[in-house]
Amino acid sequence: DTAVSQTPKYLVTQMGNDKSIKCEQNLGHDTMYWYKQDSKKFLKIMFSYNNKELIINETVPNRFSPKSPDKAHLNLHINSLELGDSAVYFCASSPPGLAGSYEQYFGPGTRLTVT
Amino acid sequence: SQQGEEDPQALSIQEGENATMNCSYKTSINNLQWYRQNSGRGLVHLILIRSNEREKHSGRLRVTLDTSKKSSSLLITASRAADTASYFCATTRPGNTPLVFGKGTRLSVIA
């Protein structure tokens, strides 16, 4: 069974559209994250949720809105997509504790292309 | 701002050789982690070393941490073609702070 899964794997859309990426983990972890990896492979955290509560928001534009219906799911909704949003988005989870205290388990990534 | 910087950016070696990658960081840390990313895949955790530890081993992997120099190294012994991937270090500062990743080292192991 996949520990952290994301859908879709690929997403191609036009500027101005609204899209969502879904993430689910079956590890029983309390903490989940969204990361953005740009074309130069630089990986940067966007959000962190602990037990459905937002604990880290790294100056991400408010066009990006994470939603956690339960602690096993953390979805990412993006409004008014821009060319610069093109990247690979990774979901991750980790055991409970201070952010970064434990190893993180990553999903396979969603490659978003905005045209 | 970016915390970790890996060196070299790219490394190409023959199968069976050892590969050493370095990571430098700027501020005090709680722990340092190494991850591997195969092309087109998610990151896989390799080793976590805490700030009060100096060395850790896991199979063919050896990680050292020198907090006085703010640096860490990842050694992969007896490399295999399957070790071809990008390797990232990531650090977290004391407190409830997120992991901050470096830009990674691209390792190519030639059979």
Side-chain angles (χ1 to χ4, degrees), chain B residues 10-81:
Chain B
L11 179 62
S12 184
I13 59 173
Q14 297 286 329
E15 204 167 30
E17 294 180 337
N18 295 342
T20 300
M21 288 159 269
N22 302 298
C23 170
S24 59
Y25 56 91
K26 297 175 184 172
T27 66
S28 61
I29 61 170
N30 185 31
N31 68 58
L32 185 144
Q33 305 183 32
W34 284 92
Y35 287 80
R36 183 187 75 229
Q37 184 179 30
N38 291 86
S39 180
R41 309 287 287 273
L43 279 76
V44 174
H45 179 262
L46 298 176
I47 286 185
L48 182 154
I49 186 165
R50 301 197 186 279
S51 59
N52 61 354
E53 297 175 310
R54 291 297 167 256
E55 188 170 313
K56 284 189 91 166
H57 296 255
S58 176
R60 294 183 296 112
L61 306 180
R62 172 176 169 253
V63 167
T64 62
L65 179 65
D66 187 335
T67 52
S68 66
K69 295 181 179 178
K70 293 187 170 56
S71 68
S72 172
S73 67
L74 170 66
L75 168 68
I76 304 174
T77 59
S79 63
R80 305 166 182 167

